Amino acid sequence: MKAEVIELITTVFHVLQVNLRWMTWNLFLAFIPLALSVWLFRRQRSGSWVWWLGFLSFYAFLPNAPYLLTDVIHLIDDIRRVQSIWMITLVLIPVYFVVIFGGFEAYVISLINLGYYLHRTGKSQWIFPVELITHALSAVGIYWGRFLRFNSWDFITQPDAIITKGVEEILGKQPLIIITLTFIILWGLYWFMKRITLGFLNKGVNSQIK
């Protein structure tokens, strides 16, 4: 019994150690657009070439945030390896939840900041259409990242591959179905999480006023 427990703990530790690498990296990529959104839409004035460069970088890196939703496939593999309901429930699932939630919340706050910018510049009517367009672009980016293994910086390092292979691939029937489903999931989760996030933010503002 003792040997089995030690072996189980060793397995879980090894799984977490391996996952820590890609989880840390993916979270880092997810928080890049969040940081850019604060700089672009909350602090920096638009119009300069630096702002537009940051804006393009924002959209190039943005799919990395909701991309973490697809990392649930690693959880399935880890569950098969660990095979302990207690370790799965108390260790694996909470770790994955924090990572995936953190990535998607970065996506939500990034778009909230974008909406704030549009509202501040008198373009409130564009908030919803821009959100839909962003979900669609992110769905394409997620597909490129998960299935074609493209990275955000490939827009610079291999733009020809994105234009040829990337565009050609998403025109197929199966990719379009996957991208459409991804878009629906993004829109639904964003709609839900946006209201929760704004609720917390408004509650914090009201408590400070009081």
Side-chain angles (χ1 to χ4, degrees):
M1 181 67 179
K2 184 178 180 180
E4 293 177 354
V5 172
I6 294 176
E7 182 180 358
L8 176 60
I9 294 175
T10 303
T11 302
V12 172
F13 179 78
H14 175 70
V15 168
L16 292 177
Q17 190 177 32
V18 172
N19 288 343
L20 184 62
R21 301 170 186 171
W22 65 260
M23 285 180 173
T24 303
W25 176 246
N26 285 358
L27 272 178
F28 170 74
L29 293 177
F31 279 95
I32 289 178
L34 175 59
L36 285 172
S37 73
V38 173
W39 178 72
L40 289 167
F41 309 131
R42 294 280 181 173
R43 301 179 182 276
Q44 184 72 10
R45 289 187 176 182
S46 61
S48 67
W49 68 269
V50 176
W51 189 91
W52 282 107
L53 180 61
F55 182 76
L56 292 176
S57 300
F58 168 76
Y59 265 99
F61 280 93
L62 186 60
N64 289 294
Y67 176 87
L68 279 158
L69 291 171
T70 67
D71 285 332
V72 71
I73 63 174
H74 298 300
L75 174 60
I76 298 173
D77 293 335
D78 290 343
I79 288 175
R80 292 171 180 167
R81 294 178 60 185
V82 174
Q83 294 183 346
S84 168
I85 188 64
W86 293 109
M87 288 295 182
I88 292 171
T89 305
L90 300 178
V91 180
L92 287 183
I93 291 180
V95 169
Y96 271 88
F97 175 79
V98 169
V99 172
I100 293 174
F101 176 81
F104 196 78
E105 186 63 14
Y107 179 72
V108 172
I109 297 176
S110 295
L111 288 189
I112 288 176
N113 288 336
L114 174 56
Y116 169 82
Y117 168 79
L118 291 173
H119 176 73
R120 181 165 55 88
T121 55
K123 301 180 179 65
S124 298
Q125 71 276 13
W126 284 98
I127 293 178
F128 183 67
V130 168
E131 287 177 346
L132 290 181
I133 293 172
T134 302
H135 296 329
L137 293 175
S138 295
V140 173
I142 291 172
Y143 181 86
W144 280 350
R146 175 55 65 188
F147 294 98
L148 303 184
R149 310 310 298 170
F150 282 134
N151 295 302
S152 298
W153 47 88
D154 287 334
F155 283 104
I156 297 177
T157 59
Q158 47 178 338
D160 53 334
I162 291 181
I163 294 175
T164 55
K165 184 179 179 181
V167 174
E168 180 182 354
E169 180 74 18
I170 63 175
L171 296 179
K173 182 178 179 180
Q174 183 175 352
L176 283 177
I177 293 175
I178 295 174
I179 291 171
T180 301
L181 290 175
T182 303
F183 168 80
I184 294 173
I185 292 172
L186 288 181
W187 177 77
L189 286 178
Y190 173 77
W191 181 88
F192 178 73
M193 291 303 301
K194 179 182 179 181
R195 275 142 187 79
I196 293 178
T197 303
L198 289 176
F200 274 107
L201 292 176
N202 292 333
K203 185 177 180 180
V205 172
N206 292 334
S207 63
Q208 289 180 357
I209 295 176
K210 293 179 181 179

